[in-house]
Amino acid sequence: MIRLGAGPLDRIVVVGAHCDDIAIGAGGTLLTLCQARPGIRVDALVLSGGGTEREQEEQAALAAFCPGADLRLTVHKLPDGRLPTHWDEAKAAVEELRERTDPDLILAPRTDDAHQDHRGLAQLIPTAFRDHLVLGYEIVKWDGDLGRMAAYQPLSPETAEQKVRLLQEHYASQRHRPWYDREAFLGLARIRGIECHARYAEAFAVTKLTLNLGG
C-alpha cells in the first residue's frame, strides 16, 4: 500500500545526524503531535553522540519533546562531520530502524541541507522507507541554506515558547554557540508562521507526496 500522504498517525519516525537536530528542526511539531495523540509511538534514530554526554542530553530532551509517547531512541557513535566516509554504517542503522517499524510519517533532515551529515542522512531515508511520507526539517546555520518550503506545521505561541525553553534547558553543551539562542529559534518560527498565516510555525521540505482528492 502506498502511503505517501498524511493520514491517521499511530507511529512516526524521527531521525537526526546529531543530538539536538531533531529538537531544533521539529521540536514544536513533536510537541504538537504527542500532546494531541497520547501514546503515539515515536522511533528516534540519531547517528552520532552515542556514549557521550550528548546522548544523555538527547534522551532527556526527546522525553520532554514527546510527552506521553511510546518513545524508543537509538543513538549511534558515528563521528561528527564524517558521515560520507561512514556510509555503510549509516545505511545499516537506517535499515535496522526500518526493520522494527512501519511509520505513518517520517521527520528527517532536508536533502538540500548544506551540512554533509544532514544531507547524507536525508538521502538514505528513502532508500529504506520507500512508500512513506517524509517531511524534511530545517536547521538554521551559518551556511545560509534556508529556502522555500512546501509544508508547514503551525505552532501556538505556547508551543513555540516551550520548544525554545526545552532547547535551552536540555542541551547545555550547545549554549555557547552564537546561533543557539531564543532570537534565532523564535525568529525563524515567526517567519515560517507569516508564510502560512500563523503566529509561529515549523516548515518542511517535501520530495514526494500522493494526493487522494477523490477519497
Side-chain angles (χ1 to χ4, degrees), residues 102-138:
D102 188 23
D104 303 305
L105 172 68
I106 300 170
L107 303 176
R110 296 178 297 134
T111 55
D112 56 353
D113 193 297
H115 194 296
Q116 68 272 15
D117 291 356
H118 301 171
R119 186 172 62 252
L121 176 55
Q123 293 168 347
L124 279 172
I125 291 300
T127 69
F129 295 90
R130 293 184 176 275
D131 299 326
H132 300 77
L133 176 62
V134 181
L135 299 182
Y137 58 72
E138 58 184 348

Side-chain angles (χ1 to χ4, degrees), residues 26-40:
T29 298
L30 280 177
L31 285 167
T32 302
L33 269 173
C34 293
Q35 289 167 354
R37 295 171 173 81
I40 188 172

Side-chain angles (χ1 to χ4, degrees), residues 113-177:
D113 193 297
H115 194 296
Q116 68 272 15
D117 291 356
H118 301 171
R119 186 172 62 252
L121 176 55
Q123 293 168 347
L124 279 172
I125 291 300
T127 69
F129 295 90
R130 293 184 176 275
D131 299 326
H132 300 77
L133 176 62
V134 181
L135 299 182
Y137 58 72
E138 58 184 348
I139 297 178
V140 64
K141 63 180 78 65
W142 72 271
D143 305 80
D145 63 354
L146 299 180
R148 180 173 293 178
M149 306 299 273
Y152 297 84
Q153 171 58 54
L155 305 178
S156 69
E158 294 78 14
T159 298
E161 291 283 357
Q162 185 180 8
K163 172 184 176 178
V164 173
R165 178 178 59 79
L166 292 177
L167 285 172
Q168 294 291 350
E169 176 181 341
H170 288 287
Y171 295 105
S173 65
Q174 304 304 300
R175 293 176 192 151
H176 69 283
R177 299 186 181 277

Side-chain angles (χ1 to χ4, degrees), residues 78-88 90 115-121 123:
L78 273 65
D80 188 351
R82 298 291 186 270
L83 188 149
T85 60
H86 293 265
W87 192 257
D88 288 345
H115 194 296
Q116 68 272 15
D117 291 356
H118 301 171
R119 186 172 62 252
L121 176 55
Q123 293 168 347

